[in-house]
Amino acid sequence: MTIIDGKDLSQKIKSEIAIEVEKIKSAGGKTPHLAAVLVGENPASKVYVRNKVRSCEQVGFKSSLVQKDIDITEEELLETVHFLNNDPDIDGFIVQLPLPKHINEELVTLAIDPKKDVDGFHPVNFGRMALGLPCYLPATPFGIVTMLDRYNIETSGKHAVVIGRSNIVGTPMSILLSRKAKIGNCTVTITHSRTKDLPSVVRQADIIIAAIGIPNFVKADMVKEGAVVIDVGINRVDDDTAKRGYRLVGDVDYQGVSEKCSFITPVPGGVGPMTVTSLMLNTLKASRKEIYGE
Ligand code: NAD
């Protein structure tokens, strides 16, 4: 069994990005610039945004943190988005989700200029992804595809079972794996909370993508011998022995499943770090105008 070390791979890719950034700078080009909008004090969101800012520093990007109070109105937030859309120095930006309940997330996502939508959540980028056109891929699926690629995992002709159908993980993952591409050409089954006899479906999988949000949901008896297991879940479970009073676990019962599978991503240190690194890759693409041109 091979552990897919997302932490190590993301460091490697960040070093590669840093070299590219140096080349841009030494040729007199503009430093790539990512902005992140954070609304309120959600602790998980703060950690995610902090990691994104730190990653920008590591690769040599400029970063701007735009912090807004929890009581910001929808109109004010939309104004912020328009400001960032029109700021020529900013190549790409993200609005960290979830937003407070009084703000319509869909409206905010739609307001982001697709050219700067480095999270890949805008319907234009999502649609282009579905059609196989150049686009910003959503960061988590992009990170998973990169891991499968860099670990030389054969996907063609394999049966991939995706558990979860969210717009940011499960659904885009199912599209990417079914497309005609180096990492693709899978026969894909997408499953969700209404799937009947889920264990028997998952047992048929050569590749399992678990994006459910339930700790240790995928047990060893649901996994075929030799399957590739990608654990997207990040769940906090109480742990009195841990300094913070909790620890992070995935959607996969790592202990049991790792004895049966051929490849597995750990939590933490698997998909999570690759998600942030994919955002850096998208920002580099944005600064080079690779997807949409000038
Ligand atoms: P979500 O809550 O939007 O979607 C969960 C999906 O799981 C739904 O489609 C639902 O139908 C399905 N589901 C729920 N209960 C089920 C059941 N009993 N059987 C089968 N399917 C079931 O979640 P999400 O945003 O896709 O995130 C999933 C997990 O991945 C969470 O733990 C989240 O924290 C984590 N996540 C991690 C990263 C990362 O970078 N590693 C990024 C995004 C999300």
Side-chain angles (χ1 to χ4, degrees):
M1 188 271 298
T2 303
I3 296 171
I4 302 179
D5 189 337
K7 200 171 163 193
D8 184 64
L9 180 56
S10 71
Q11 289 304 340
K12 203 166 155 210
I13 295 173
K14 279 196 260 189
S15 310
E16 293 166 10
I17 299 173
I19 292 169
E20 294 305 308
V21 174
E22 268 315 307
K23 280 188 202 159
I24 294 171
K25 287 183 188 171
S26 55
K30 186 185 91 61
T31 302
H33 186 176
L34 174 73
V37 181
L38 176 63
V39 179
E41 301 287 330
N42 179 319
S45 293
K46 281 168 101 170
V47 172
Y48 292 144
V49 168
R50 202 185 312 136
N51 285 341
K52 289 168 189 176
V53 169
R54 195 181 304 140
S55 290
C56 282
E57 287 161 6
Q58 286 169 356
V59 299
F61 289 174
K62 196 169 157 189
S63 67
S64 296
L65 175 58
V66 183
Q67 214 149 359
K68 297 288 178 188
D69 287 340
I70 188 140
D71 53 11
I72 185 174
T73 65
E74 191 175 270
E75 204 185 343
E76 285 166 335
L77 185 59
L78 288 171
E79 267 171 35
T80 303
V81 167
H82 292 311
F83 177 81
L84 296 170
N85 281 341
N86 293 314
D87 183 339
D89 195 61
I90 287 171
D91 298 296
F93 66 96
I94 61 138
V95 178
Q96 185 66 45
L97 302 179
L99 291 171
K101 290 215 161 36
H102 66 277
I103 295 176
N104 182 338
E105 281 186 1
E106 208 177 281
L107 263 188
V108 174
T109 303
L110 277 171
I112 297 173
D113 183 343
K115 291 179 187 160
K116 295 195 177 189
D117 168 43
V118 284
D119 252 342
F121 292 166
H122 192 286
V124 166
N125 280 310
F126 198 95
R128 291 174 71 109
M129 172 195 68
L131 295 170
L133 296 170
C135 65
Y136 300 117
L137 291 178
T140 302
F142 186 12
I144 294 170
V145 166
T146 307
M147 286 196 293
L148 294 171
D149 187 25
R150 296 283 186 120
Y151 274 78
N152 291 316
I153 293 169
E154 182 58 75
T155 59
S156 185
K158 302 288 162 126
H159 184 190
V161 173
V162 179
I163 318 174
R165 57 178 162 190
S166 72
N167 289 343
I168 61 166
V169 189
T171 297
M173 209 52 235
S174 69
I175 294 170
L176 289 170
L177 286 176
S178 66
R179 291 209 57 85
K180 195 170 182 178
K182 183 173 172 231
I183 297 299
N185 291 317
C186 288
T187 303
V188 178
T189 304
I190 180 155
T191 65
H192 43 76
S193 52
R194 304 287 177 94
T195 299
K196 290 212 172 80
D197 195 6
L198 185 87
S200 76
V201 180
V202 179
R203 262 193 293 275
Q204 296 168 34
D206 302 307
I207 300 170
I208 299 168
I209 313 285
I212 315 139
I214 302 176
N216 303 320
F217 181 88
V218 177
K219 305 269 190 253
D221 64 4
M222 292 165 72
V223 177
K224 183 166 82 178
E225 202 73 48
V228 173
V229 180
I230 307 293
D231 188 354
V232 185
I234 302 178
N235 309 292
R236 284 183 182 194
V237 294
D238 293 340
D239 183 352
D240 294 337
T241 64
K243 213 165 75 185
R244 295 174 294 190
Y246 68 87
R247 70 194 153 86
L248 297 178
V249 300
D251 289 346
V252 174
D253 172 18
Y254 187 87
Q255 205 74 20
V257 170
S258 58
E259 285 172 20
K260 280 182 96 176
C261 61
S262 56
F263 288 88
I264 191 165
T265 60
V267 178
V271 175
M274 288 300 295
T275 296
V276 185
T277 298
S278 302
L279 180 66
M280 301 299 119
L281 284 170
N282 277 345
T283 305
L284 185 63
K285 284 183 190 191
S287 83
R288 288 173 161 164
K289 318 265 185 247
E290 258 178 48
I291 311 289
Y292 292 99
E294 286 301 329

